[in-house]
């Protein structure tokens, strides 16, 4: 398979494009996903005015037409619920919830309908839908546009949750999510859209529920996800200069989560740090620690540490927001505190 | 109107099935045989029956917490329904859903729903499926007067109209949301007036008059099937039982109860059908005993069915979860 | 203060009644809270047809009138948001979200508005509101009326979360919540309404953020909350018969959480079990374990265990639902597994 | 109409302040001086100004992501606004909120809001406060055409009408929700028609005509103040800038842009006021330079203000958290 360097944004776009070519039941909708294609003066030409707020969907409306790429009113409950209804009657919808912070206006359709439908119906239905949504701080978008919130969705039985960190993973995981027969929440960190990486041109999938060791090491295990994978790798690089070899596990999927890879790593390194951009309470970070403190307890040589955002909303002012986000320095110093 | 004699017999049988099913459930609940909440549809039979008379198995409906009548009118197997209300393994949902979640997707019944107003968005979904795949399937969304105040219904009606989906919204205005009267919780003079808010037809009909409902639904469903977009139908009626079983209905006066009894949808249907010579007393009596047998059979089926095994707690959460 | 035996239900009712007498800015609203008092034939008499689905509010509408006890349409976003707006402009509203499972239709007003308003406004506002809501399985109410979900609210910065287990705690904590100047989520387990206990007649408060050791012991610590406090105490009783002395910590508040009491107990017993009715992932149970695995690691003699509901929705069928809920037996056998 | 000369001068100054504030912000954003998103109100000045002219500091407004104009019209300090847009410690929210969350509860401004449609429920809250405490305070809820499709707005309008709250709903229909045209995302012929859905008055006015808005708002706010309940006002207009800065507005045709320019609310106000001899060219020129100085001063204030200290990340989450 020929590979070339593309951005994370392009990788997501490509996954949707290829899956939509492959399967006519895949459709995409959300606010402005057809990007003004519904305007009278755009009609016929099948062009688009913008490919969404951060340009992730450029070109999809022109290629697939307005019947498969649909703008919606600002009615998240209605269109996420429509995804549930469509998925349980034969389509494979991708619904775009622009920012994950908007979950509050549509959460019922995700967690009480989409997530529970199969169970409530005794297994006699399935809901093959994907909700794509932007996460993350660092964009100066303030308290209502900067959350991660994947811990909440991971808490909910019936949902799968995916947080890619590289263009390669983004494309493979999104393709897998679209083909998956369960509802998948697919989280895209807005500060990763511009990063580049090698991505094959063809279709491929990465199974949900498989973590990847992004860097091997023996002195401590960092379990992390999303943008924090990059921060952790940077910290690992610095630590390596000081002779500390850190293993970096990128979870990629939070539900299902690849416990084996976490446990194997901790059994080897005997030390755990979880690095997570989400808020700390009842979170992914505590989840990983609870797993290890139960199932690898006898291998642990040091307290389990977590480096997360604080228990606060996301502040607007750039300096404050930078202080809110876990830093490379804090990762380095935490690891050093028990390896040094 | 397309109401053949055969259709009328079928409609009568459906209404009667609903009534007897609910009466049986009420009795079993009082005996302590049924777990949880049950919300009974008795009194509203003409609505589900008059609307679903125009639907085939391939069409869809979304429902509410008060879903038994919708299930029966849409053709869900009555044995599986009764077993589900008990929580038995032979239930429509293997006992996992219960009264508030009875569903049968193969029959086009997308589930009773424990969340008021949740059916609206789901109905847009099956509507979108039909539109995308170019089928002529129609979806009917049943919702209560209380549900009309939920934001999801507003969003769903607007979305269905924007996307010109084959969806018909049927509001079952039985005058109360739990103990709160309609006149208090809804600011509109008529819920049907809200059609204007989405530029779709909105009609108010007598929710106890099968014939009126049948006719109104025929037009709306036809419109939807022809790709002309959604309609809103408000059916004014009542429920005979409390919000759920156990509710003593202190909020309904005796006069009101009496007035309701006088408007019984099944009695009225019978009267009109026999007076006009459309159906005979004998035909009706025959159906009555047939239906009674069906309900009794369902009860026996449920009673003798097995409980689900404990390991079922963990299954059916995902299609596949490594 | 004279005390007498009343139910959990009556304790909640009494806390509201006394706080409403004390402070005219306290008002109560939600679906059917005035219980049909809005009906024409009830008018004038100021009576009520029902005191809410489970009768918790009996007598409040007659005493305080329809201006302070208001029925609402089934519009949770509107009335929870109205609580936020009213709280930030001078009232102390108590809003009733009938079942916590309905959070999906109003979550935005709780987590993006109520919880963040003070922070986003730079501290120049406060939101003294309480959302009361029923939680818990065991009522045969199926997948959409039986959740706990307090882990989700505990995750959210800006909210306080309270889960009482006894009539005494319920009254004191609810009074404290009503007087508190931050938004408080107050969770009432529907299977506790009928339990009885000694409760003083007068007003009193129990500070938010203080756990209570409900039983002392030295062999293991059980950290728990809500209905599971009773299960844990029952298990402790059984274990005591076998010579195992378990300490039972009732958290009462989840946010703020009384970490000191947890840590002190674990430092004494060296073993931790968390018993929690919520689902397991990214949950209260993992949260408590993560705290201990970091800050009391050196005191631990055994893996940290959690006993929770499974990662599934709540099933309807009685036998299945009973199997879903953590059992006394599972608590006993888990404790024995590492003390035996 | 209660429009004195003094009020007119004040109105002109307010509109001009909004315009110049937004132009300054646009320029600073282009220079890369401002972090995050900014959504500009230029073109819609007549709405906030015409409505808030009837409000005192004790009245409340709820706002949107496009909130600068509402803030200025409601009397929020302009220095503190500019500093907030920068994220400085002297900002209205100490730099923690930014453009999308500017607020000043003491001035009755309950916050710009990053969640579309979130202001409706909040407005019911301040309305309920006024009703409960028996004050005559009125709350105005500003919302966009896009927001009209959000379930929260439906719920809020219905609740306000059921509870007969002193709330006025003002829909700023600028024709677009981001790049999606109003005609696509809203099924109603007029958003004002939705008044029928709640049995409240609904009026559509020209959103560029200060005088029409002033008059319509006077009636609606008076009604609310007298305890007669909510009203809905739809103002039809446009925005000059993109959805947010950085949006090239490819979805708006050149003709449409030209048509909008010809309807400039400030120019029209000026023209009508001077033609009828209500205000003089000199008075206006004087105000223009005063306002320009105010904006320049705000810019300088923001520029020289300090950034918040890092420890501020952790404060203001709770009033009290042990
Ligand atoms: C979102 C939500 N809010 C509240 C409830 C509780 N509840 C269940 S049924 C009901 C009343 C529904 O009234 P209506 O829609 O008129 O239906 P009816 O019961 O009259 O058939 C309420 C408030 C719920 N299930 N979901
Ligand atoms: C619940 C929610 N959905 C989507 C968005 C993203 N968004 C921000 S502004 C906007 C368009 C709003 O349109 P309108 O209400 O007409 O206001 P305008 O921008 O035209 O002033 C959208 C979709 C949001 N902030 N909140
Ligand atoms: Mg009703
Ligand atoms: Mg707009």
């Amino acid at each position: 398979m020929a590979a070339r360097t593309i951005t994370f944004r392009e990788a997501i776009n490509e996954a949707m494009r290829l899956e939509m070519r492959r399967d006519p039941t895949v459709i995409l909708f959300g606010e402005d996903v057809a990007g003004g294609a519904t305007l009278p003066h755009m009609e016929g030409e099948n062009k688009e005015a913008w490919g969404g707020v951060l340009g992730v969907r450029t070109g999809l409306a022109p290629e697939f037409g307005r019947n498969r790429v649909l703008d919606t009113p600002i009615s998240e409950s209605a269109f996420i619920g429509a995804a549930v209804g469509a998925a349980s009657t034969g389509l494979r919808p991708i619904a775009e919830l622009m920012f994950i912070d908007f979950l509050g206006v549509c959460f019922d359709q995700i967690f009480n309908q989409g997530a529970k439908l199969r169970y409530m119906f005794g297994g006699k239905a399935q809901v093959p839908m994907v909700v794509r949504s932007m996460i993350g701080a660092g964009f100066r978008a303030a308290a209502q546009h900067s959350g991660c919130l994947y811990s909440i969705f991971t808490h909910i039985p019936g949902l799968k949750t995916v947080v890619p960190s590289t263009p390669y993973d983004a494309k493979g995981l999104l393709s897998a999510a679209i083909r998956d027969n369960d509802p998948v929440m697919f989280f895209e960190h807005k500060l990763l859209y511009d990063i580049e990486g090698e991505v094959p041109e063809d279709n491929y999938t990465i199974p949900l529920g498989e973590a990847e060791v992004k860097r091997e090491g023996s002195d401590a295990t960092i379990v992390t996800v999303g943008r924090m994978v990059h921060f952790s790798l940077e910290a690992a690089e610095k630590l390596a200069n000081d002779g500390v070899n850190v293993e970096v596990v990128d979870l990629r999927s939070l539900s299902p989560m690849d416990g084996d890879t976490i446990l194997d790593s901790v059994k080897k390194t005997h030390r755990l740090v979880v690095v997570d951009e989400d808020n700390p309470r009842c979170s992914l970070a505590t989840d990983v620690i609870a797993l290890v403190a139960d199932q690898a307890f006898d291998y642990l040589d040091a307290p389990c540490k977590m480096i997360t955002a604080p228990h606060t909303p996301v502040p607007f002012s750039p300096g404050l927001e930078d202080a809110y986000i876990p830093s490379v320095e804090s990762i380095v110093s935490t690891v050093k505190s028990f390896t040094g | 109107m397309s109401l053949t004699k055969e259709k009328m017999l079928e409609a009568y049988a459906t209404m009667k099935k609903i009534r007897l099913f609910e009466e049986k459930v009420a009795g079993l609940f009082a005996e302590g045989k049924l777990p949880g909440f049950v919300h009974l549809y008795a009194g509203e039979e003409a609505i589900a029956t008059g609307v679903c008379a125009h639907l085939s198995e391939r069409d869809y409906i979304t429902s509410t917490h008060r879903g038994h009548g919708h299930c029966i009118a849409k053709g869900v197997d009555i044995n599986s329904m009764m077993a589900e209300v008990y929580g038995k393994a032979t239930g429509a949902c293997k006992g996992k859903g219960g009264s508030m979640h009875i569903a049968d997707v193969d029959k086009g019944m997308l589930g009773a729903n424990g969340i008021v107003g949740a059916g609206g968005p789901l109905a847009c979904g099956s509507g979108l499926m039909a539109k995308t795949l170019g089928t002529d399937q129609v979806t009917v969304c049943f919702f209560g007067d209380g549900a009309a105040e939920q934001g999801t219904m507003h969003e769903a009606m607007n979305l269905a109209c924007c996307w010109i989906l084959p969806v018909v919204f049927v509001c079952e205005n039985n005058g109360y949301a739990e103990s709160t009267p309609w006149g208090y919780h809804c600011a509109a003079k008529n819920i049907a007036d809200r059609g204007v808010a989405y530029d779709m037809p909105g009609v108010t009909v007598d929710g106890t008059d099968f014939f009126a409902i049948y006719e109104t639904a025929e037009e709306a469903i036809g419109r939807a099937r022809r790709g002309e977009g959604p309609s809103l139908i408000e059916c004014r009626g009542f429920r005979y039982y409390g919000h759920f079983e156990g509710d003593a209905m202190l909020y309904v006066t005796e006069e009101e109860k009496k007035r309701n009894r006088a408007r019984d949808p099944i009695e009225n249907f019978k009267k009109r059908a026999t007076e006009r010579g459309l159906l005979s007393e004998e035909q009706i009596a025959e159906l009555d005993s047939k239906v009674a047998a069906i309900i009794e059979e369902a009860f026996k089926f449920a009673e003798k069915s097995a409980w689900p095994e404990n390991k079922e707690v963990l299954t059916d959460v995902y299609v596949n979860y490594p």
Side-chain angles (χ1 to χ4, degrees), chain A, chain B:
Chain A
M1 248 192 307
R4 70 282 184 245
T5 298
I6 61 173
T7 61
F8 189 94
R9 172 185 289 108
E10 288 162 339
I12 303 252
N13 183 292
E14 198 163 273
M16 290 193 280
R17 185 186 307 269
L18 296 181
E19 292 304 314
M20 289 183 79
R21 284 185 190 158
R22 209 181 140 260
D23 179 350
T25 67
V26 178
I27 63 170
L28 169 67
F29 49 83
E31 289 146 21
D32 301 279
V33 298
T38 48
L39 283 159
H41 62 279
M42 299 274 175
E43 214 150 334
E45 303 175 51
N46 228 357
K47 56 184 189 181
E48 65 188 348
W50 67 354
V53 171
L54 296 184
V56 178
R57 310 174 236 85
T58 315
L60 297 179
E63 175 168 351
F64 299 102
R66 287 157 54 183
N67 270 330
R68 290 182 65 198
V69 182
L70 290 90
D71 280 336
T72 65
I74 310 181
S75 306
E76 285 84 357
S77 280
F79 74 76
I80 300 271
V84 177
S88 52
T89 57
L91 297 184
R92 290 191 173 269
I94 307 169
E96 180 171 306
L97 180 61
M98 199 183 289
F99 291 84
I100 195 60
D101 313 74
F102 305 163
L103 82 102
V105 296
C106 58
F107 195 41
D108 185 70
Q109 293 293 333
I110 298 174
F111 104 96
N112 260 334
Q113 313 299 330
K116 292 178 182 169
L117 199 135
R118 180 174 177 77
Y119 191 80
M120 295 188 301
F121 291 8
K124 297 175 189 170
Q126 59 180 40
V127 187
M129 65 184 265
V130 177
V131 177
R132 292 178 42 243
S133 193
M134 280 192 277
I135 60 168
F139 214 75
R140 309 346 183 176
Q144 293 173 337
H145 286 72
S146 306
C148 280
L149 294 163
Y150 41 64
S151 298
I152 289 180
F153 294 92
T154 302
H155 179 68
I156 302 294
L159 295 178
K160 292 176 175 170
T161 48
V162 179
V163 190
S165 68
T166 66
Y168 178 85
D169 287 353
K171 181 172 169 187
L173 289 166
L174 182 52
S175 295
I178 294 169
R179 296 186 200 180
D180 199 274
N181 288 323
D182 292 307
V184 181
M185 298 292 307
F186 191 88
F187 298 96
E188 302 167 14
H189 197 297
K190 47 183 111 60
L191 268 89
L192 292 180
Y193 280 136
D194 287 330
I195 65 160
E196 300 192 325
E198 283 246 312
V199 177
E201 281 177 7
D202 288 350
N203 250 330
Y204 61 95
T205 59
I206 296 172
L208 307 188
E210 287 188 10
E212 187 178 62
V213 176
K214 284 273 194 305
R215 178 190 179 111
E216 299 207 6
S218 51
D219 298 331
T221 296
I222 294 178
V223 173
T224 185
V225 75
R227 187 177 181 218
M228 291 300 115
V229 170
H230 301 277
F231 281 38
S232 298
L233 288 171
E234 204 181 316
E237 206 62 46
K238 292 200 177 167
L239 285 160
N241 294 338
D242 295 348
V244 180
N245 286 308
V246 170
E247 181 143 310
V248 177
V249 176
D250 178 357
L251 289 174
R252 304 198 294 195
S253 304
L254 311 185
S255 179
M257 184 167 79
D258 184 351
D260 289 344
T261 297
I262 298 171
L263 294 170
D264 287 348
S265 179
V266 172
K267 285 176 186 172
K268 182 173 78 175
T269 67
H270 310 295
R271 289 175 180 86
L272 172 67
V273 181
V274 185
V275 181
D276 178 14
E277 194 190 308
D278 204 349
N279 295 113
R281 300 291 317 277
C282 304
S283 67
L284 175 69
T286 67
D287 189 84
V288 171
I289 290 176
L291 175 77
V292 168
D294 177 3
Q295 294 182 33
F297 178 78
D298 294 332
Y299 296 86
L300 282 171
D301 284 350
C304 299
K305 293 287 174 191
M306 56 193 239
I307 302 172
T308 68
H311 185 62
T312 76
V314 182
F316 167 66
S317 193
L320 298 185
E321 191 179 29
D322 290 342
Y324 169 94
I325 300 167
S327 67
V328 172
E329 295 68 47
S330 66
I331 304 171
V332 168
S333 69
T334 301
V335 172
K336 277 196 179 159
S337 76
F338 54 55
T339 57
Chain B
M1 213 193 315
S2 56
L3 202 47
T4 60
K5 190 163 222 162
E6 199 179 28
K7 276 237 158 194
M8 280 186 64
L9 283 170
E10 204 183 308
Y12 179 79
T14 300
M15 289 199 285
K16 195 76 188 184
K17 268 185 219 163
I18 298 174
R19 177 68 55 89
L20 294 191
F21 187 89
E22 298 300 54
E23 287 175 353
K24 187 77 197 173
V25 167
L28 292 171
F29 191 87
E31 283 176 48
K33 288 208 167 199
L34 301 182
F37 297 116
V38 287
H39 305 84
L40 304 183
Y41 194 73
E44 309 186 44
E45 294 87 349
I47 307 172
T49 307
V51 170
C52 293
H54 302 286
L55 302 179
S56 82
E57 262 189 19
R58 295 182 57 252
D59 294 315
Y60 288 101
I61 64 168
T62 65
S63 171
T64 68
H65 55 288
R66 201 175 300 288
H68 301 170
H70 307 135
C71 287
I72 292 175
K74 195 66 182 51
V76 178
D77 177 67
I78 290 193
N79 286 0
S80 81
M81 284 179 60
M82 190 65 89
E84 190 60 37
V85 174
Y86 271 77
K88 295 294 181 83
T90 54
C93 308
K94 297 201 233 162
K96 291 188 178 180
S99 165
M100 240 185 315
H101 306 292
I102 309 187
D104 189 341
V105 177
D106 292 337
K107 289 270 157 64
M109 162 63 194
L110 294 176
N113 210 309
I115 303 298
V116 167
L122 300 176
C124 290
S126 45
L128 178 61
M129 177 282 298
K131 189 174 182 188
T132 304
L133 302 184
T135 77
D136 72 345
Q137 290 157 289
V138 168
T139 299
V140 172
C141 168
F142 292 101
F143 65 109
D145 52 295
E149 273 43 87
Q150 184 62 240
T152 49
M153 287 311 309
H154 164 70
E155 294 190 6
M157 288 194 265
N158 186 65
L159 182 67
C161 290
C162 286
W163 280 353
I164 317 174
L165 299 179
V167 177
V168 175
F169 296 93
V170 176
C171 183
E172 305 182 306
N173 184 350
N174 59 12
Y176 294 89
E178 299 196 346
S179 69
T180 302
W182 170 61
Y184 176 84
H185 72 67
C186 175
K189 280 201 190 119
N190 302 288
I191 292 174
D193 292 351
R194 292 189 175 164
V196 173
Y198 318 103
D199 199 18
M200 69 170 153
V203 188
T204 303
V205 291
D206 180 347
T208 65
D209 181 345
F210 169 84
F211 299 96
I213 294 162
Y214 183 88
E215 222 170 308
T216 311
E218 181 162 35
E219 192 174 325
I221 291 169
R223 212 175 105 83
R225 220 180 277 292
R226 293 189 302 273
E228 293 165 19
S231 310
L232 170 61
I233 302 173
E234 175 190 9
C235 303
R236 293 267 179 94
F238 50 81
R239 51 172 159 78
Y240 279 134
Y241 291 96
H243 169 61
F244 41 46
E245 283 309 282
D247 163 12
M249 283 183 96
L250 297 177
Y251 48 91
V252 182
T253 61
E254 288 309 314
E255 299 107 82
E256 190 174 340
K257 285 181 192 161
K258 225 161 107 187
R259 243 185 292 130
N260 293 345
R261 280 279 162 209
R263 285 174 67 201
D264 188 273
I266 300 182
E267 288 307 313
N268 285 350
F269 178 97
K270 222 182 336 192
K271 205 163 152 238
R272 278 176 63 182
T274 52
E275 276 176 7
R276 299 189 194 169
L278 299 168
L279 301 182
S280 70
E281 302 271 2
E282 293 71 43
Q283 281 176 314
I284 283 175
E286 195 188 318
L287 274 182
D288 281 350
S289 59
K290 257 197 202 154
V291 168
I294 289 171
I295 302 301
E296 201 50 32
E297 150 73 19
F299 159 66
K300 283 189 194 137
F301 174 81
E303 277 280 330
K304 69 164 196 276
S305 289
W307 297 104
E309 291 178 62
N310 277 2
K311 66 173 203 277
E312 281 292 321
V313 174
L314 302 178
T315 61
D316 300 327
V317 183
Y318 296 92
V319 176
N320 163 35
Y321 200 69

